Structure formats: structure tokens, C-alpha cells
Amino acid sequence: MSLDLPSTGCRSTPVLKERGQREVFCGLTGIIWLHRKMQDAFFLVVGSRTCAHLLQAAAGVMIFAEPRFGTAILEEKDLAGLADANAELDREVARLLARRPDIKQLFLVGSCPSEVIKLDLARAAERLSAVHAPHVRVYNYSGSGIETTFTQGEDACLAAMVPTLPATTARELLIVGAMPDVVEDQCLSLLAQLGIGPVRMLPARRAGDLPAVGANTVFALVQPFLGDTHAALTRRGARHLPAPFPFGEEGTTAWLRAIADEFGVARDLFEQVTAAPRARAQKAIATQSQELRGKSVFFFPDSQLEIPLARFLTRECGMTAVEVGTPYLHEGLVGPDLDLLPSGPVISEGQDVEKQLDRQRAAAPDLTVCGLGLANPLEAEGHTTKWAIELVFTPVHFYEQAGDLAGLFSRPLRRKAILRKEAAE
Amino acid sequence: MKLTLWTYEGPPHVGAMRVATGMKGLHYVLHAPQGDTYADLLFTMIERRNHRPPVTFTTFQARDLGADTANLFKDSARDAYNRFQPQAMIVGASCTAELIQDDPGGLAEALGLPIPVIPLELPSYQRKENFGADETFFQIVKALAKPMPRTEAITCNILGATALGFRHRDDVAEVTKLLSLMGITVNVAAPMGATPEDIARMGQAHFNVLLYPETGETAARHLERACGQPYTKTVPIGVGATRDFLHEVSALTGISAKVDESGLRLPWWSASVDSTYLTGKRVYIFGDATHVMAAARIAATEIGFEVVGMGCFNREFARPLRAAAKAYGVEPLITDDYLEVEAEIARLQPELILGTQMERHIGKRLGIPCAVISAPVHVQDFPARYSPQMGFEGANVIFDTWIHPLVMGLEEHLLTMFREDFEFHDDAGASHHGGKAVARVEPEEPGVSHPRTPVGYLDQDEGASP
Ligand code: SF4
Ligand code: SF4
């Protein structure tokens, strides 16, 4: 396997750090995909009507017979006395759990209002865990906008679970980060073929499948936004296997390679297992990325997926990156991706959205990756955009999704070409 | 604390955003944490606007809490003024900023900007989106509109249309057309489409047309007091209401209410024998009070349905809704909890639901046809084509929209006549809707063998295999 390092990567590129208006989701949005993944969990936001409205706007048409998330909306009287707020919370939780006996994990999710009034949800979680044990375990994390951006909500959630995981001394591989079930199955199947096991997942689909962790645990991340979870696992003695993230053929191979090396998998076996899916991925990428070759791309900050995705688009799809914005840059996690990303783009962390829009307009990139609040306005100005949230909601990891991943970026350009042709006739 | 799964209304600052986004030349500086910018996408995606809402969020973070947030607000307001050069600004706090008590109004005033800066007090823990819109519009009007000499010709203002309003775009166009048929010109339509300079000349109109009491009534009352302008009380949704509205305008102006009705088709469509099967169909109506009251009148008197239940989510209008419900002999449901609405619909088992996007999902779950009459709505209810609810064209649109989800008359007869038929039965569904036809499931009787459903005649389906 040859991962040709570019002459210079972006690891030592000075990062443009900006402060100003941010145009991002808060961490509450993580609930949208986390509650699908954890099938016996309920996410109870303690917040305001704004929080409830955000979840609804982000969940869009996803209305379920009974969604497994909701908001305990703070009212005037809750703000007046915290003692009352705690009593109210206990009552709402008891009522909820009575109505939903299938719930085994309850997450009390903090919001900006609950953080600002200093409602101690960690204590509440302990108290409620004791009341509802052993049937239900109650956790707490914050998805507030003042502390978390978008995918960081998942990080906060997983990090909150780590201290409560059972201890083990077994040498096990832990895969960390929520993935759609189909992708998770592909990942597990590849690892099984390489003879690596046992493999555990965080998050698990059900409370009963939660992994154990200890000094002999090694873990690999499938998402770049898991900084706190990384720290929490390290505190439990587990060891991280740094690697580029499994996007595209190259990313997936490098990611698997890092694990295979750790488990002493022979080169031959590795080649044998990965050859066919690698070829399939390369072929699919080649088909899907025709429109992308030679084009420029500009990333607004959104999910922290930006750096690995820019690496994929530049190296495997032939694009040039103009600016790669990320809400946070954990060098320890995206370092391997930064090494591979050809130097040239501005790497920016944080945001001053008006200034960033000025830069984007000046650069006039062929493709702009941005949030839904910016996409249509930029389209109306004549730019082609790819809305970023889809990258979090769509299966995009590992070999079989590599073509789809390229397709997500090429579709807007293809569409633009079709409509332009029609207009020209 | 109240456990909420889905909400009919957003927080009040979203109402303020609806006013700001509808207007031009106005900028809103909102003290809020970073995640609150989600609200932008309601406008750029659901309403498909081609520009960003004119809102600057301070997007403070945890590390800013303390003395810093006040400076952050000032910097944001100053930058927003320099960059966007608005004619006027509104400033306020979202729910989180309300807790940190920075006083956006005072901070903005201290900047001494050369434009009017209007502070908003929107109590996030008590009130909701419609209040936010109504209050914001009122504050803008109060600050900018002054008494003026009347225009020479008879003109009026149109009040209440906002961004993200259900069919507001086309309602304004339709009502403008109606008024022009009477010979009345529109002075200013606001907030949607108006600039602060337009607001300043609202006082010269002879009267006001209040389209949406939810978002325009406080401003209408203020203009009545401050500028001596009477305002219309009838919302012209439906044929009868439109005619009443024209008479109301006629009484205010002395101009004849007779207008060309040649484009109006609802009355004949409804009178034609094709529509006989609609008689007495049991309908349940839920939404904002204005649209619900209008819909009930159309349903009962213009289409001939039986109104079996009605309700609204906006408590502010509980009183008029209760009064209206009396006329149909039903006990109204005033709630913002969609589970209560669902329980009520399940209990009443109507044949048609008229509601919001929530009721559409309820209808889907219960297998009851539904048409949308009120916000909140999804992207498909911001249509590309002309689709007002108001005036005569609005009546045509309403007839088509409500009848569409129902199984057609002849089809209904066939379904009844051939109820025993394997192909025609109650679960077979309407011919013009997406769902797959389902073959009837033959009841199992011990010892009796039934003929098998012919394979390939109907699509195979979970329910189809015998
Ligand atoms: S940013 Fe804060 S207040 Fe706004 S929705 Fe997110 S958690 Fe709630
Ligand atoms: S298709 Fe008909 S029944 Fe279905 S949501 Fe639309 S109007 Fe309602």
C-alpha cells in the first residue's frame, strides 16, 4: 500500500482563527441521529421553546409514532427557584418513563438556558439513576450552543457514557462513533475478515450491548469530532490508534491499516481482504467524481468532517481546496488527515461568517460546502453549493459508500450543468 | 416544566425574525447563542428565500459569559450597521440572552447610531412566535408611523403579512386585486414587502385592512388610536367572508361593494351534482384561530360538510374561537399539545381533517385524509404556483385543495356497492393517491376454504399474500 505523502501537507500550516458571528447548529442536533442509533434510549432536553423548535426544524419530516426525544420546556416558575425546577424535572421524568417502559437509557441533555441558570443536571442524573435503577440508567451531557457545535453533541454524549462503562482487562478493539447500521456491518465484516476481534462499538445499538473498557483496550475513531470521548477513553487507560478517517478508498485503507498493524495482521492477508473492495471503491469514485476533477472547493465550518473530506476530495477526486473551515480543530485527531492534505488551502478554525462570505465571494469557488442557512442565498448569487448536513445524515464511511460520497459533491455540479443547458437552448 | 415533543409555534424571537425577514431595509440584531442561527434555515429552506434573513446573531459562547457579552452585543450591532446600512434596526434577546440580562435596547442606544433603533421585549418563557411577530410589528409601527394628512384618493394599508406566513405572498396579491376592483389603492402592505420608510408613511392611508389578526392586530389597534384609521374585522377567506369583507370596506369608504365575480368558481363547483356526495362529510378543523374560524364557515355553509370538531393552538384567540364553535355546536379544543389533538381526532373519527402539518401526520397515522389550512407548514406549502387562500381565487384554491384528498364520488359508490369485492374495499384507498392498493384480507373461518386472491392481479404487498 502506498500512501504517497504530498510534498508538504497541511499539518504545519498556520491556522486562521476567527471569532465573530457563527452560522452553525448547536450540539442538540446530535440527538436526531443518536436516538435512531440507540434504540432503547430517550433524549430529554432540558431547555426552552427555542430548543424544542430547533429539534423540530432539524428533524424536519421525521415524525415518528412517538419520537424518542423531547424537550422539558422551562417555564417562568422554573427560573424563579431551582429547587422547584428539580422537583419538576423528577416528575416529568417519572411520567415519561411510566409511559415508555421500553426506555433503558435516558439522557438529560443540557441546553444554553439550563447551563446559564446552572441547573445541575449531573446531580439530577445521579438522583434519577438511583430512583429508576436497575431498569433505567440516566446520563447527562450538554448539547448547548454556548458549549457545543453540531456534531460535538455526539462527542459530549459518548464522553458522558465512558466513565460508567464496565471495566475489563481483555484486549479488545473499540470502534467509536455512531454510524448507520449498514455501514457498521460493513466495518465489522472487514475487521472480521482480517481476523481482528473481539470488536466492540460505542455507541451500542442497545444498553445491553455496551462495551467494557480498560488498559488493554485499543480504540479507533470513525468520526473526527470525538475529542472529549477520546480524552475520556484515554483516562480509562484505553489507547487510541491515530489514523486518517475512513472516507474514500484511501482513507478507509489507511484506517484499516492502522488497526491491522496494531493487531499484527500479515500484509498478504490485508491485501487479500481489501483488494476487491478497494478496486470497487476506486471505480465508483472515478465514475462519480468526473465533474469534480480540476474544480475548486470551499468549506464553511459545520461538523469537523471538513478536513478529512477535503483530503478525500483533493486526493481522490482531483479537486483543489481554497479554504477548509472547521468549527474546531483537534490536531491530535485530524493530524493524519492534515498530513495528507496537499498544502495550499487556508485552514480556518471558528468563524466570522460575514468575513468568511467575503472571502468565499472573492475566491468564487466551483463548489461551496455550507449549511442550509447559507446554501440557497449563495445559489441565488450564482454559486454552486453542497449542503453539509447531508454528509452527517448519509452513509458515507468505508469502501462501499466511497462512490456515494463523491456523488454527494458531484451531483450539485451535474445539476447546474443540466439546468444551464436547458437555459441556453 | 412541560414535556414537549412537537411545537406548533416557535419562540417569540422567531416571530420577530418573520417580521424582519419580510421587510426590506430593516436589520435585526439578536443577542443569542450560536445554535440559534438554525432559524435562518426556516426562511432559506422552507420558504426558499434567496437571501439570508437580515439578522445578526451575537452567537456568544460559554467563555463570553460575564461582562463580555455586553461588549459582544455592541460590537455586533455596530458592525451590522456599518455593513448593512439599514434604515432602522430592531434589537432584542433570545431565550438564553434573556437570562443573562444584558439589555440590548440600552446597549444599542449607547452606540448613538444615526437611525432609529427599536428595542424589543419578548418574554421567551411565557409567549410564543405569533406574539413575537405581532409585538415586533407593533413596536416598529409605534416607533415609525406618525399621523399624516390623508392621500387624496382613497387608499388603505394591508397589515399582518410576514415571512414564513401560510400563503401570505398570494393573499396580499389577491386582496390588493380585490381592493383595486373597488377602486382602492394600497398605500403600504406591511410588514412583508415594506421598508421602514414605508412604515413612516402609513399614516396617510384612509383605513387599514387587517389580514392576519395573529400578527397584525396590535399594530392595527395602535394605528386606530394614533392615526385615526379604522381597520377591517372580517378576514376574507371563503366566498361569504370575502363578500362580507367587501361590504365592510364599502361601509368604511362609501364605495360600492359590487365587484366582478366572474373568476369565482367555488359556488358552482359546490352546487354541481358531482359534489352531492360531500354533503354531511364529517370534518375536523385545527390550526391558528383565524384560519380555523374561516375554514369552519366554508366547510359548513359553502361546501356542506358537517363540522364535528375544531380547535386552535394559539390561546390568545381562544375567546373568538369558542364563540365561533358554538355556532356549530361543538366544544372547541384549545391546546398546543399535538397529542391532545391526536386523541381528539381519534375519538371523533372524522372523514376529513383540515389542519397544519402536524395534523397531516396525525391523519396519515390514523388513515384519515387531510388538507392543510394553517401554519406551521412544510416546504410544499410554499408553492411555486399562485395559491392564495383569500378572496375569490382563494376560494377556488380551497375547494380544490380540500376535495382532492377525498375519494371521488363515483369511486365511493363503487367502493360501497362492491364492498365484498376483493379489489374494491374500504382499505383499497383512493385512486389518485400514492399508496399501493391492498387486496382484502379474507377472514379466516375454520373449516371453510376461501378462493385465493389471483396472483399478479394486484401488486403483492405485506397484506396481499393470502
Ligand atoms: S443554541 Fe442553546 S438555546 Fe439555542 S437551541 Fe441550542 S441549546 Fe437551545
Ligand atoms: S396527499 Fe392528501 S392526504 Fe396526503 S398529505 Fe397531501 S392532502 Fe393530505
Side-chain angles (χ1 to χ4, degrees):
Chain A
M1 187 195 62
S2 68
L3 278 183
D4 303 325
L5 292 183
S7 40
T8 41
C10 286
R11 173 93 74 157
S12 52
T13 304
V15 175
L16 172 65
K17 298 199 184 204
E18 279 200 303
R19 295 222 46 195
Q21 181 181 331
R22 290 177 155 228
E23 184 76 26
V24 287
F25 281 132
C26 60
L28 294 187
T29 24
I31 292 170
I32 308 293
W33 63 89
L34 286 172
H35 91 284
R36 293 280 84 200
K37 186 73 209 173
M38 299 188 227
Q39 293 169 12
D40 52 9
F42 192 101
F43 292 80
L44 180 64
V45 176
V46 182
S48 63
R49 175 167 299 280
T50 310
C51 308
H53 197 237
L54 160 103
L55 280 178
Q56 182 164 327
V61 289
M62 273 212 295
I63 299 211
F64 307 104
E66 280 248 33
R68 278 182 291 103
F69 58 82
T71 308
I73 296 187
L74 294 163
E75 292 167 312
E76 203 72 31
K77 61 176 186 298
D78 300 311
L79 303 177
L82 287 177
D84 291 349
N86 279 311
E88 293 267 315
L89 181 61
D90 293 2
R91 194 200 58 210
E92 285 301 326
V93 165
R95 199 185 277 172
L96 171 71
L97 292 177
R99 203 173 73 208
R100 297 297 305 263
D102 52 322
I103 299 302
K104 300 222 163 46
Q105 315 176 66
L106 175 68
F107 290 89
L108 301 180
V109 188
S111 66
C112 304
S114 74
E115 297 294 330
V116 168
I117 63 170
K118 299 204 162 47
L119 187 58
D120 192 342
L121 292 180
R123 287 263 304 276
E126 268 173 38
R127 186 174 71 233
L128 288 163
S129 246
V131 174
H132 298 283
H135 189 66
V136 185
R137 161 139 230 157
V138 186
Y139 300 94
N140 149 254
Y141 72 91
S142 172
S144 78
I146 55 178
E147 294 155 302
T148 60
T149 302
F150 195 26
T151 47
Q152 275 185 301
E154 174 175 333
D155 187 27
C157 172
L158 301 189
M161 299 175 80
V162 171
T164 69
L165 296 176
T168 179
T169 52
R171 176 163 164 80
E172 289 178 340
L173 173 65
L174 182 60
I175 304 292
V176 190
M179 288 182 280
D181 291 353
V182 283
V183 181
E184 191 177 297
D185 292 344
Q186 285 169 25
C187 166
L188 289 171
S189 143
L190 281 165
L191 292 168
Q193 291 174 58
L194 290 171
I196 297 168
V199 182
R200 313 281 179 214
M201 312 296 298
L202 183 69
R205 293 182 201 183
R206 306 198 151 266
D209 305 332
L210 276 172
V213 62
N216 293 317
T217 306
V218 286
F219 69 93
L221 303 176
V222 294
Q223 302 284 21
F225 44 72
L226 298 172
D228 287 355
T229 309
H230 172 279
L233 285 167
T234 308
R235 275 198 295 278
R236 294 282 310 259
R239 183 161 50 83
H240 176 219
L241 304 176
F245 287 92
F247 299 113
E249 181 273 318
E250 195 187 47
T252 305
T253 304
W255 187 85
L256 285 171
R257 183 78 258 175
I259 297 171
D261 285 349
E262 168 71 22
F263 283 85
V265 175
R267 293 258 146 177
D268 282 0
L269 178 61
F270 190 84
E271 280 303 321
Q272 203 184 307
V273 169
T274 57
R278 287 180 70 177
R280 271 202 304 278
Q282 280 166 350
K283 193 162 161 239
I285 295 169
T287 322
Q288 288 295 324
S289 65
Q290 282 165 20
E291 290 84 355
L292 301 176
R293 310 228 149 255
K295 303 275 167 55
S296 57
V297 60
F298 190 110
F299 280 89
F300 279 83
D302 197 59
S303 61
Q304 299 184 53
L305 292 170
E306 296 83 3
I307 287 170
L309 290 176
R311 185 261 300 151
F312 165 70
L313 289 174
T314 48
R315 292 177 58 101
E316 297 187 56
C317 303
M319 298 190 89
T320 325
V322 181
E323 174 162 342
V324 185
T326 178
Y328 292 100
L329 195 146
H330 287 284
E331 207 202 307
L333 304 195
V334 295
D337 283 289
L338 280 172
D339 286 336
L340 293 174
L341 180 63
S343 66
V346 172
I347 309 285
S348 62
E349 182 187 17
Q351 187 173 36
D352 181 331
V353 71
E354 304 295 349
K355 286 194 189 137
Q356 199 167 25
L357 280 165
D358 289 345
R359 291 201 297 278
Q360 187 270 355
R361 288 178 184 126
D366 296 305
L367 186 66
T368 301
V369 184
C370 62
L372 291 174
L374 300 178
N376 269 338
L378 285 174
E379 289 281 348
E381 289 180 24
H383 301 281
T384 305
T385 62
K386 164 77 215 102
W387 45 284
I389 297 143
E390 201 178 6
L391 300 161
V392 178
F393 288 173
T394 314
V396 292
H397 291 79
F398 296 103
Y399 293 128
E400 307 305 330
Q401 279 66 237
D404 297 348
L405 178 57
L408 285 179
F409 293 97
S410 61
R411 197 180 306 135
L413 288 163
R414 200 174 310 154
R415 181 170 182 76
K416 210 22 97 62
I418 294 171
L419 299 180
R420 209 173 272 143
K421 218 161 126 209
E422 175 65 29
E425 268 164 19
Chain B
M1 244 174 247
K2 186 166 184 330
L3 179 60
T4 307
L5 304 178
W6 299 101
T7 63
Y8 284 96
E9 289 183 73
H13 71 260
V14 168
M17 284 182 75
R18 288 176 51 185
V19 170
T21 306
M23 289 180 64
K24 299 187 180 76
L26 180 87
H27 201 85
Y28 184 15
V29 181
L30 178 61
H31 208 13
Q34 55 172 352
D36 284 6
T37 54
Y38 81 86
D40 280 357
L41 73 86
L42 303 172
F43 301 92
T44 59
M45 297 300 288
I46 296 182
E47 200 180 11
R48 250 185 269 251
R49 290 205 168 243
N50 61 3
H51 60 88
R52 292 169 62 211
V55 183
T56 294
F57 298 79
T58 57
T59 64
F60 54 82
Q61 291 174 275
R63 59 178 175 211
D64 302 318
L65 293 180
D68 243 37
T69 52
N71 278 320
L72 194 61
F73 181 86
K74 283 211 240 175
D75 292 345
S76 301
R78 197 185 297 111
D79 289 352
Y81 172 73
N82 289 335
R83 184 173 276 266
F84 299 104
Q85 299 281 315
Q87 297 168 17
M89 224 151 77
I90 52 178
V91 298
S94 81
C95 55
T96 306
E98 189 182 330
L99 299 172
I100 59 178
Q101 298 179 330
D102 271 339
D103 182 24
L107 292 169
E109 201 189 303
L111 292 176
L113 297 175
I115 51 164
V117 176
I118 303 158
L120 302 173
E121 297 285 344
L122 303 174
S124 311
Y125 297 89
Q126 293 163 319
R127 310 305 296 263
K128 291 182 268 187
E129 178 177 332
N130 280 338
F131 169 85
D134 184 69
E135 172 69 13
T136 302
F137 182 41
F138 161 61
Q139 291 297 343
I140 294 171
V141 167
K142 192 173 98 176
L144 303 178
K146 299 286 171 259
M148 282 184 147
R150 298 279 186 256
T151 52
E152 218 167 285
I154 294 185
T155 59
C156 68
N157 302 312
I158 294 185
L159 311 184
T162 65
L164 215 62
F166 176 65
R167 307 296 165 86
H168 287 195
R169 177 194 71 196
D170 297 340
D171 282 348
V172 170
E174 187 64 20
V175 171
T176 304
K177 205 158 74 191
L178 267 184
L179 291 163
S180 80
L181 287 176
M182 289 180 76
I184 298 167
T185 348
V186 173
N187 178 50
V188 173
M192 194 153 77
T195 62
E197 280 164 8
D198 292 332
I199 304 281
R201 53 182 189 82
M202 283 176 80
Q204 64 186 3
H206 292 236
F207 68 103
N208 289 317
V209 167
L210 174 58
L211 286 198
Y212 308 101
E214 273 84 355
T215 50
E217 187 160 354
T218 310
R221 285 179 197 279
H222 170 78
L223 288 168
E224 185 172 51
R225 280 192 309 272
C227 299
Q229 293 166 331
Y231 65 94
T232 55
K233 311 289 189 302
T234 315
V235 177
I237 302 178
V239 180
T242 299
R243 289 185 182 136
D244 289 354
F245 168 79
L246 293 172
H247 282 113
E248 209 186 335
V249 172
S250 165
L252 291 175
T253 58
I255 301 175
S256 159
K258 276 236 162 339
V259 300
D260 175 17
E261 290 192 3
S262 58
L264 173 62
R265 284 176 286 272
L266 179 144
W268 166 240
W269 253 243
S270 191
S272 71
V273 294
D274 310 67
S275 299
T276 312
Y277 80 108
L278 300 173
T279 314
K281 274 214 184 293
R282 299 159 42 78
V283 57
Y284 184 82
I285 311 174
F286 195 86
D288 69 42
T290 296
H291 285 90
V292 166
M293 292 187 292
R297 177 168 174 188
I298 301 169
T301 66
E302 295 174 21
I303 301 187
F305 289 147
E306 185 196 349
V307 177
V308 295
M310 59 199 280
C312 72
F313 56 77
N314 49 337
R315 254 163 229 295
E316 293 92 336
F317 288 77
R319 192 183 299 197
L321 188 94
R322 282 210 179 87
K326 270 217 179 80
Y328 308 102
V330 298
E331 191 53 47
L333 178 66
I334 318 288
T335 182
D336 58 2
D337 182 345
Y338 85 100
L339 291 173
E340 278 183 44
V341 179
E342 183 172 62
E344 175 93 336
I345 292 175
R347 183 178 69 79
L348 291 168
Q349 287 294 321
E351 291 162 276
L352 176 69
I353 304 168
L354 303 174
T356 73
Q357 60 166 312
M358 273 70 160
E359 284 66 46
R360 233 183 42 194
H361 288 284
I362 292 171
K364 205 166 146 192
R365 209 142 58 216
L366 300 177
I368 302 172
C370 169
V372 169
I373 59 154
S374 157
V377 292
H378 279 315
V379 63
Q380 69 269 41
D381 271 300
F382 288 96
R385 67 179 186 279
Y386 186 58
S387 333
Q389 298 287 292
M390 294 186 177
F392 296 137
E393 186 54 26
N396 297 337
V397 168
I398 284 173
F399 184 87
D400 290 345
T401 311
W402 295 10
I403 305 317
H404 170 85
L406 296 170
V407 173
M408 282 178 288
L410 181 59
E411 195 172 6
E412 188 178 81
H413 290 303
L414 290 173
L415 287 175
T416 323
M417 223 157 112
F418 298 107
R419 203 196 313 249
E420 301 308 319
D421 190 293
F422 69 88
E423 225 182 324
F424 275 134
H425 56 97
D426 284 349
D427 295 336
S431 63
H432 56 303
H433 279 232
K436 243 195 209 172
V438 179
R440 86 183 278 112
V441 185
E442 301 298 340
E444 292 286 342
E445 276 175 54
V448 182
S449 75
H450 290 279
R452 290 174 65 95
T453 307
V455 173
Y457 205 87
L458 286 174
D459 280 339
Q460 289 285 338
D461 197 72
E462 295 93 333
S465 39

